[in-house]
Amino acid sequence: MNIIVLVKSVPDPAAKVGVRDNKIVEDGLAWEANPYDENAVEEAIRLKEKYGGKVTLITLGPKRAEETLKKMLALGADEGILVSDPAFEGSDELATARILAAAIEKAGGYDVIWAGWTGVDWNQGIVAQAVAEYLGVPHVSFVTKFEVNGQTARCETEVEGGREIIEVDLPAVLTAMQTLNEVRYASLKNIMAVKRKTIPTWGAADLGINPAEVGKGAAHHHLMKLIPPPERAAGRVLKGAPEETVQELVRALREEVKVL
Ligand SMILES: Cc1cc2nc3c(=O)[nH]c(=O)nc-3n(C[C@H](O)[C@H](O)[C@H](O)COP(=O)(O)OP(=O)(O)OC[C@H]3O[C@@H](n4cnc5c(N)ncnc54)[C@H](O)[C@@H]3O)c2cc1C
């Protein structure tokens, strides 16, 4: 089975991200794999363990994203490809999807393409579906359970107030929910193996993409203002005998927070 996984490098979700001149402050910021993409990589490795084959990871981003790719390779994937070119900077979702689709086609045949259901930074939740459109294959989103049956797959997906069972023809694009699986730790053997792997970098010329059609200049939207969320006020610890603290809590919820 030939499995491709789209892995996005995002600011460490636990980090406090600052904003300056309408941009996030990157100095000293740690970059990690998008959490849902970790579940996508884990699912791909489990499929390879069950059916054999190869797992290829593809990341679009600047040179520093190579470290994220290596961390995900150490989970047990076979190959990693960094798609990077100054012409790609500031690309919107559609251009991002188009570039990734071109990289998938260059990487060769695929039976399944996994992605995360959304990127925790821009949270558009659209790139994977757009990749499916560019490749002309079906897609299933929010997958919580996945089973292959020959040339089709049975997917359980999370929907408002329930779940859906969807049968899809392969190849297809699927997006992973966090409940799809438990991500296993990288083994020392795999961590060491990654050190010997070379990660090719593909740019616009390698993918046959016209730089004028991607990047900031071709984006369908422009960022007007980037505003960090307001600082959260510190919480208040209620002390005293249980009866007193309960009374004080009810009073505060009624008079201050006005939720009772
Ligand atoms: C108003 C606005 C302004 C923006 N301005 C900028 C800007 O100035 N600079 C900029 O860089 N971006 C900018 N963006 C973000 C950019 O346009 C896309 O939204 C972004 O590239 C898509 O990321 P996402 O996390 O929303 O993707 P989603 O659609 O949420 O991602 C879903 C899945 O697709 C895959 N995926 C997504 N991106 C990648 C990737 N790069 N590599 C590999 N797999 C991937 C992952 O598996 C991910 O889990 C802006 C967005 C908006 C809405």
Side-chain angles (χ1 to χ4, degrees):
M1 190 169 237
N2 243 332
I3 309 157
I4 297 213
V5 189
L6 304 179
V7 175
K8 187 176 187 191
S9 179
V10 298
D12 175 359
K16 196 168 173 330
V17 177
V19 172
R20 189 172 54 225
D21 308 331
N22 239 12
K23 284 202 184 83
I24 62 167
V25 178
E26 296 202 3
D27 324 339
L29 198 55
W31 295 80
E32 299 293 344
N34 183 47
Y36 311 116
D37 302 353
E38 292 192 31
N39 296 99
V41 173
E42 175 66 29
E43 196 67 17
I45 291 164
R46 290 178 187 214
L47 287 171
K48 183 183 97 170
E49 288 165 354
K50 198 167 175 187
Y51 301 100
K54 188 173 85 169
V55 176
T56 304
L57 311 182
I58 299 180
T59 293
L60 165 62
K63 184 72 184 146
R64 66 157 163 71
E66 199 172 290
E67 285 318 306
T68 305
L69 208 43
K70 286 184 177 167
K71 282 184 193 158
M72 289 299 100
L73 272 174
L75 293 182
D78 302 285
E79 281 177 26
I81 298 161
L82 179 66
V83 179
S84 190
D85 190 314
F88 295 158
E89 261 163 57
S91 287
D92 65 15
E93 305 74 36
L94 292 184
T96 299
R98 201 167 136 237
I99 297 164
L100 289 170
I104 291 168
E105 279 175 334
K106 182 176 168 64
Y110 51 86
D111 301 296
V112 174
I113 299 166
W114 277 100
W117 74 274
T118 193
V120 292
D121 52 351
W122 291 98
N123 242 325
Q124 302 287 303
I126 189 178
V127 169
Q129 294 79 358
V131 165
E133 283 304 308
Y134 281 117
L135 296 174
V137 299
H139 71 84
V140 181
S141 303
F142 314 121
V143 178
T144 54
K145 200 165 175 220
F146 180 74
E147 277 160 33
V148 174
N149 302 322
Q151 286 315 307
T152 68
R154 179 183 177 280
C155 308
E156 281 187 25
T157 69
E158 203 171 286
V159 291
E160 202 72 31
R163 64 196 168 100
E164 277 177 344
I165 313 284
I166 297 172
E167 189 173 272
V168 63
D169 292 336
L170 299 178
V173 175
L174 305 138
T175 73
M177 295 293 280
Q178 204 142 29
T179 49
L180 174 63
N181 54 42
E182 195 75 32
V183 180
R184 291 168 287 177
Y185 288 105
S187 67
L188 190 56
K189 179 170 152 281
N190 284 338
I191 293 170
M192 299 313 289
V194 168
K195 293 187 189 313
R196 294 189 296 280
K197 281 189 202 275
T198 47
I199 295 180
T201 299
W202 292 346
D206 302 302
L207 300 176
I209 286 185
N210 173 355
E213 293 169 5
V214 293
K216 207 173 179 70
H220 293 81
H221 50 55
H222 294 290
L223 191 67
M224 306 299 286
K225 204 166 175 29
L226 194 56
I227 306 159
E231 293 281 335
R232 282 181 66 173
R236 185 155 51 101
V237 179
L238 301 179
K239 292 204 173 102
E243 306 75 39
E244 287 163 21
T245 44
V246 169
Q247 268 182 0
E248 172 52 15
L249 177 62
V250 171
R251 185 202 64 71
L253 291 173
R254 187 172 291 138
E255 294 167 18
E256 293 170 27
V257 194
K258 300 193 185 340
V259 290
L260 288 182

